[in-house]
């Protein structure tokens, strides 16, 4: 048995990792979940710690107490515009806390798996391979790249798992994403503004969670790109949601990114080349259509419970 500590277990990815572990899909891990505040998954089938990764002494104490072999750091400030408005806060969570985790892992030879993003790239030449040169266009991307750079110099086993536009349903519905956002707004007849000049490869949260656990299980060090396999414009993603749920397309307003006036600039076309994940992790992502079907099943289950 290996002891696995996950940070940010209340988040979208964290809850999906917890789900797979609770289902027994990775029986070789003894699981310790941690996040800020109370446990939102609350299955009582594992240890849970209320742990803020910016409280460095608390993190050290937790790791000394539980002696994990592997840590998956999913905790982050992941709202891109909030990072742009509050760069000091973003730095604290997305860089300084990671530096602290690295130091603790180095002293104990713990395998540190860190989540990163397509936003380390500028979006001029997507899709990207793992060793393409990062060149972020906003604070979130800069801070995620700074953390990656620290990891790459770390003297402990390390992995960087980059991902793109994650979607999925949580049983407490505590996280929205592009699919739920578009579905909910259009079902309520609310007009939405959607950009037609950005391209992404949306990632089903379940696929990402499984890939992270395979990285942990196989001690797969280095950088891995994990996303869906299909490239869409943001407009096309929303149009696929409209078609799937038979919603009224007249409520979407297609716009250029500049018109939205968001705090943070976005890379134009990201996307990943997934060959390394296929080869080293036996990664098999769902198509976007399959992902939508899974979301339907999960929403139906929630409504009936
Ligand atoms: N979601 C995406 O589209 C996407 C795309 C690319 C990369 N990523 C990366 O993937 C990782 C996971 O993202 P996600 O979608 O699961 O994000 P998420 O849903 O926002 O989850 C992050 C979790 O971390 C927790 N957290 C925040 N600050 C913390 C702190 N100081 N100490 C402990 N916990 C803290 C959050 O707590 P609260 O619940 O209390 O807020 C939340 O539960 C992140 O590294 C993110 O940058 C995500």
């Amino acid at each position: 048995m290996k002891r696995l500590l996950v940070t940010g277990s209340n988040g979208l990815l964290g809850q999906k990792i917890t789900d797979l572990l609770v289902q027994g899909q990775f029986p070789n891990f003894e699981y310790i979940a941690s996040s800020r505040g109370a446990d939102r998954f609350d299955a009582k089938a594992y240890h849970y710690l209320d742990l803020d990764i910016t409280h460095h002494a608390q993190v050290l104490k937790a790791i000394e107490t539980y002696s994990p072999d592997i840590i998956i750091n999913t905790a982050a400030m992941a709202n891109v515009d909030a990072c742009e408005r509050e760069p000091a806060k973003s730095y604290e969570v997305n860089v300084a806390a990671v530096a602290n985790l690295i130091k603790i892992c180095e002293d104990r030879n713990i395998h540190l798996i860190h989540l990163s993003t397509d936003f380390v790239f500028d979006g001029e030449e997507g899709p990207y391979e793992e060793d393409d040169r990062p060149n972020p266009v906003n604070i979130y991307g800069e801070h995620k790249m700074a953390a990656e750079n620290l990891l790459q110099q770390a003297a402990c086993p390390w992995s960087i798992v980059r991902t793109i536009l994650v979607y999925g349903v949580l049983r407490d519905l505590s996280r929205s994403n592009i699919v739920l956002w578009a579905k909910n707004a259009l079902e309520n007849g609310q007009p939405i503004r959607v950009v037609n000049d950005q391209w992404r490869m949306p990632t089903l949260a379940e696929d990402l969670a499984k890939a992270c656990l395979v990285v942990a299980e196989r001690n797969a060090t280095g950088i891995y790109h994990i996303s869906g396999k299909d490239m869409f414009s943001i407009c096309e993603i929303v149009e696929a949601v409209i078609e799937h749920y038979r919603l009224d397309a007249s409520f979407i307003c297609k716009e250029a990114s500049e018109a939205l006036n968001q705090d943070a600039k976005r890379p134009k076309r990201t996307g990943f080349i997934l060959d390394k994940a296929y080869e080293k992790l036996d990664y098999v992502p769902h198509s976007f259509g399959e992902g939508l079907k899974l979301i339907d099943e999960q929403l139906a289950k929630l409504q009936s419970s």
Side-chain angles (χ1 to χ4, degrees):
M1 288 292 267
K2 282 190 182 161
R3 200 172 275 187
L4 170 68
L5 172 72
V6 171
T7 68
S9 65
N10 276 334
L12 178 54
L13 172 60
Q15 288 204 37
K16 293 298 180 185
I17 290 176
T18 303
D19 215 355
L20 291 178
L21 291 165
V22 168
Q23 286 170 27
Q25 288 200 27
F26 288 82
N28 295 329
F29 291 123
E30 182 187 339
Y31 181 42
I32 299 139
S34 76
S35 213
R36 271 191 313 211
D39 184 12
R40 286 200 217 112
F41 192 90
D42 204 20
K44 306 204 173 17
Y46 46 84
H47 298 285
Y48 177 83
L49 307 173
D50 174 351
L51 185 65
D52 183 325
I53 60 162
T54 64
H55 294 171
H56 296 188
Q58 249 184 44
V59 174
L60 174 62
K61 195 167 165 227
I63 293 174
E64 276 176 351
T65 307
Y66 289 93
S67 302
D69 302 293
I70 304 165
I71 297 175
I72 304 180
N73 182 38
T74 81
M77 182 165 165
N79 180 317
V80 179
D81 290 315
C83 291
E84 204 73 15
R85 289 190 302 269
E86 298 182 89
K89 211 167 151 189
S90 165
Y91 188 87
E92 203 188 353
V93 186
N94 293 335
V95 187
V98 183
N100 181 52
L101 273 173
I102 290 172
K103 192 175 172 307
I104 298 169
C105 290
E106 284 178 334
D107 290 346
R108 292 160 183 79
N109 201 36
I110 297 168
H111 180 186
L112 179 57
I113 301 169
H114 178 68
L115 269 292
S116 193
T117 169
D118 56 332
F119 277 29
V120 296
F121 296 114
D122 60 19
E124 295 302 318
E125 286 176 80
Y128 293 95
E129 288 185 339
E130 281 81 355
D131 53 7
D132 282 333
R133 196 176 65 84
N135 185 33
V137 298
N138 56 40
I139 297 283
Y140 170 71
E142 269 177 32
H143 288 170
K144 294 298 261 188
M145 180 183 74
E148 285 193 3
N149 290 340
L150 294 173
L151 258 292
Q152 290 181 57
Q153 286 156 28
C156 59
W158 60 266
S159 311
I160 293 167
V161 178
R162 296 190 185 126
T163 192
I164 305 177
L165 198 63
V166 185
Y167 66 96
V169 175
L170 294 182
R171 55 189 199 174
D172 63 357
L173 289 174
S174 62
R175 279 287 182 282
S176 189
N177 55 66
I178 186 150
V179 173
L180 296 181
W181 168 73
K183 178 177 179 292
N184 292 339
L186 296 173
E187 278 175 351
N188 292 318
Q190 287 164 8
I192 54 173
R193 301 170 76 192
V194 185
V195 292
N196 55 12
D197 56 359
Q198 290 177 31
W199 286 263
R200 304 284 182 261
M201 290 168 69
T203 310
L204 182 67
E206 276 79 0
D207 288 341
L208 175 62
K210 184 171 174 196
C212 289
L213 289 168
V214 172
V215 166
E217 195 172 50
R218 297 186 184 180
N219 295 116
T221 52
I223 305 177
Y224 290 90
H225 279 178
I226 297 294
S227 70
K229 56 188 170 189
D230 309 309
M231 177 85 85
F232 298 100
S233 71
I234 303 289
C235 259
E236 288 168 340
I237 296 174
V238 171
E239 281 164 356
V241 173
I242 288 173
E243 200 178 308
H244 185 81
Y245 291 102
R246 297 174 204 283
L247 299 166
D248 184 349
S250 64
F251 287 105
I252 69 166
C253 174
K254 300 178 186 179
E255 309 222 32
S257 303
E258 273 182 11
L260 287 198
N261 230 348
Q262 289 170 304
D263 290 311
K265 189 177 169 198
R266 265 63 170 178
K268 194 169 173 178
R269 183 188 178 91
T270 63
F272 289 156
I273 291 163
L274 296 169
D275 292 349
K276 184 176 176 187
Y278 294 150
E279 194 184 314
K280 306 266 184 203
L281 306 177
D282 298 310
Y283 179 58
V284 185
H286 289 78
S287 68
F288 191 57
E290 289 165 345
L292 290 178
K293 277 192 201 138
L294 186 69
I295 285 187
D296 286 349
E297 286 164 24
Q298 293 172 344
L299 287 174
K301 219 171 171 182
L302 283 178
Q303 274 156 10
S304 68
S305 65

